């Protein structure tokens, strides 16, 4: 066994009072929320509009998703599901992206981190909104939901990156 002791040159340094560039301020949060709103608006024609035109859109998964409102005493419905979906896209996901965006690929261009982020959330979206139906409904759901999430992530990442920058921090 070696009886070496770590020297000061080989030890890991930790920064105290580490800063985040740009700082996570109200302006950064509001900009992210604006990007989330734009992304949500842009994804709806792809997620709902095209499948509806093709006769493949089903509302049952939206009502099932709204079932989480039973905890608060609300009856699940399509309008409630839409509201919860909107809250997620405009409030929850943008704030989450502000925190984790620094750790996502690619490094450049930074706005594509929004696409990486949205792809990760799509993995959770698929089982939460999985439709009952034939192969055409399921295939269209997978394709259109993935493309819609990429559009959402692109809008979120682009707005945040171009307006205030994606906060960069280290753990």
């Amino acid at each position: 066994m070696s009886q070496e002791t770590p020297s000061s040159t080989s030890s890991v340094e930790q920064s105290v009072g580490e800063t985040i560039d740009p700082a996570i301020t109200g302006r950064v949060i509001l900009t992210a929320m604006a990007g989330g709103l734009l992304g949500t608006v842009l994804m709806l024609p792809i997620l709902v509009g095209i499948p509806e035109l093709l006769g493949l859109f089903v509302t049952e998964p939206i009502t099932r998703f709204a079932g989480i409102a039973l905890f608060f005493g609300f009856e699940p419905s399509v309008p409630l599901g839409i509201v919860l979906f909107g809250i997620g896209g405009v409030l929850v996901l943008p704030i989450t992206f502000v925190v984790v965006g620094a750790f996502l690929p690619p490094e450049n261009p930074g706005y594509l981190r929004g696409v990486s982020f949205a792809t990760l959330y799509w993995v959770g979206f698929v089982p939460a909104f999985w439709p009952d139906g034939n192969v055409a409904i399921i295939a269209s759901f997978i394709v259109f939901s993935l493309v819609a999430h990429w559009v959402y992530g692109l809008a979120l990442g682009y707005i945040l990156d171009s307006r205030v920058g994606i906060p960069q921090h280290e753990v």
Side-chain angles (χ1 to χ4, degrees), residues 46-69:
I46 301 164
L47 190 62
V48 177
I50 296 171
E52 179 65 30
L53 288 173
L54 298 173
L56 300 171
F57 182 74
V58 292
T59 60
E60 188 272 330
I62 298 168
T63 305
R64 190 175 61 236
F65 174 70
I68 62 175

Side-chain angles (χ1 to χ4, degrees), residues 8 12 68 72 85 87 92 128 146 161:
S8 62
V12 176
I68 62 175
F72 299 103
F85 183 83
I87 289 170
V92 178
L146 180 59
D161 191 44

